[in-house]
Amino acid sequence: MNSDWRPSASPRALLARAAMLAAVRDFFARAGVLEVETPIASRCAGSDPALESLVTRWHWGSDAAGQPLYLHTSPEFPMKRLVAAGLGPIYQICKVFRDGERGRLHHPEFSLLEWYRPGWDYRRLMDEVTAVVRVVLGRPDFPTERVTYRGLFRERLGIDPWTAGCDDLRARAATLGIPDAVSLDLDRDGWLDLLLTQCLQGQLGRGRLTFLCDYPPSQAALARLRQDDVEVAERFELYLEGVELANGFQELTDAAAQRARLQSDLETRRRQGRAVPPLDTAFLAALDAGMPETSGVAVGLDRLLMAVLEVRHIDAVLAFPVERA
């Protein structure tokens, strides 16, 4: 008998998901943050070279070919349009979609909590992320720490990620026993990401919430840059028991700088022979109209629920994973 009709998550996990969603909504209601909804399917898509969108088509009128619509990898751009329109602090709980992702911690459709705080800096936002996660975990005194990206690499690997070249990073990867390190052909950010994921990430968030802060400017994504003794991106990621839970920014609000970054991403995709989605001009117009200084963050709810239940595979918190959908 075919048993694929059964959910992969236990009744306990499904009840815990409902409790998590209720707790998140209660937290933001008390904090005066407005829940919003934005389109799942869009005429444009994110440009991040590390992500691939799922695409469908909208047929209307005489257009037999149909209009491509991209299922969002994040609600970020339309939510920032709402911030620019003066809606104030907002949050959203939604399904997002990413092609080519499947594994213990990855699923092509997953639940995301994303929120934006106009007038806040990213340090204050980290305090609120801590508060939200503690509420969901049911552990109000759960410890937290903040470490810088540069400090982590210097302390744990003995290299400066701002100055080390590709040859230095390749050699360090080889001495650390990363398979095939000598033969890999990566750019600097590729080597840094390899070292982070293979040698450092698993140590982060052990028995505490660890915020990894202030990334190299080449990894700014949509974050603002700040000049210290070196230039840093005001970006953070949150880790718990070696698993990334969140990615946050002091948002870049300069329309010209943001356009340049998006166009650079699209050019990278073009060079790699990958799909090049249309530039999101509505998002850029919102920035040009004047988006206030804002901090924002996205939290993976499925991974957070995995931490609550202490399970190792994402399927254990999904009613019906893609293979049973």
Side-chain angles (χ1 to χ4, degrees):
M1 179 182 294
N2 187 343
S3 63
D4 284 352
W5 65 270
R6 297 182 182 276
S8 61
S10 67
R12 172 174 172 257
L14 298 176
L15 290 170
R17 177 179 288 274
M20 174 180 68
L21 296 176
V24 168
R25 287 191 164 99
D26 180 68
F27 178 95
F28 285 115
R30 292 173 182 273
V33 181
L34 180 68
E35 183 172 10
V36 300
E37 288 185 342
T38 57
I40 289 175
S42 172
R43 293 171 294 114
C44 302
S47 60
D48 189 336
L51 301 179
E52 290 294 340
S53 297
L54 290 169
V55 188
T56 186
R57 286 188 174 272
W58 171 44
H59 296 87
W60 177 253
S62 60
D63 184 4
Q67 165 74 52
L69 293 177
Y70 300 86
L71 303 186
H72 65 178
T73 58
S74 160
E76 183 166 5
F77 288 0
M79 289 187 75
K80 288 181 179 177
R81 289 164 63 184
L82 292 178
V83 172
L87 208 57
I90 56 174
Y91 81 98
Q92 182 167 186
I93 296 171
C94 62
K95 293 290 189 178
V96 297
F97 306 86
R98 298 181 183 180
D99 198 10
E101 296 197 0
R102 186 65 174 116
R104 184 176 74 85
L105 298 173
H106 295 88
H107 191 262
E109 172 188 342
F110 61 98
S111 297
L112 198 68
L113 163 65
E114 190 153 332
W115 77 94
Y116 291 88
R117 281 288 198 171
W120 284 25
D121 72 12
Y122 73 125
R123 298 177 183 86
R124 186 178 179 187
L125 183 62
M126 281 187 268
D127 292 337
E128 188 166 60
V129 173
T130 298
V132 170
V133 173
R134 283 173 170 170
V135 164
V136 173
L137 293 176
R139 302 182 66 178
D141 299 320
F142 198 61
T144 182
E145 66 176 352
R146 299 179 186 182
V147 298
T148 67
Y149 189 103
R150 193 183 192 195
L152 181 69
F153 273 76
R154 281 174 155 178
E155 177 186 341
R156 304 281 180 88
L157 301 183
I159 55 176
D160 187 335
W162 265 251
T163 60
C166 287
D167 290 342
D168 301 317
L169 298 172
R170 177 186 287 106
R172 193 71 183 100
T175 62
L176 291 167
I178 294 179
D180 303 318
V182 176
S183 60
L184 290 175
D185 183 19
L186 304 173
D187 60 15
R188 284 190 75 257
D189 284 321
W191 283 112
L192 291 174
D193 187 61
L194 183 69
L195 288 165
L196 176 64
T197 56
Q198 297 297 311
C199 304
L200 298 172
Q201 181 173 310
Q203 306 166 30
L204 300 178
R206 292 298 175 181
R208 68 191 63 241
L209 299 175
T210 299
F211 288 91
L212 184 60
C213 317
D214 294 349
Y215 277 62
S218 56
Q219 298 181 30
L222 303 176
R224 188 177 68 184
L225 301 180
R226 181 184 78 245
Q227 185 64 49
D228 288 340
D229 56 329
V230 293
E231 191 174 44
V232 301
E234 294 184 326
R235 171 186 175 189
F236 66 84
E237 290 185 340
L238 171 62
Y239 290 87
L240 176 58
E241 301 302 334
V243 175
E244 179 198 343
L245 295 183
N247 188 21
F249 306 133
Q250 187 68 40
E251 304 294 345
L252 179 64
T253 59
D254 184 307
Q258 186 64 84
R259 178 183 290 272
R261 289 193 197 175
L262 295 180
Q263 289 176 331
S264 176
D265 284 347
L266 293 176
E267 181 55 37
T268 297
R269 297 180 68 91
R270 189 174 290 108
R271 287 198 311 270
Q272 294 174 347
R274 299 164 68 186
V276 180
L279 187 67
D280 194 332
T281 55
F283 165 56
L284 293 172
L287 294 186
D288 197 47
M291 178 174 155
E293 287 297 323
T294 299
S295 60
V297 64
V299 178
L301 289 178
D302 303 301
R303 293 184 181 182
L304 182 53
L305 185 56
M306 289 172 64
V308 171
L309 298 174
E310 298 182 337
V311 297
R312 287 188 47 79
H313 202 290
I314 194 170
D315 288 12
V317 299
L318 302 177
F320 300 106
V322 64
E323 292 83 4
R324 301 188 188 191

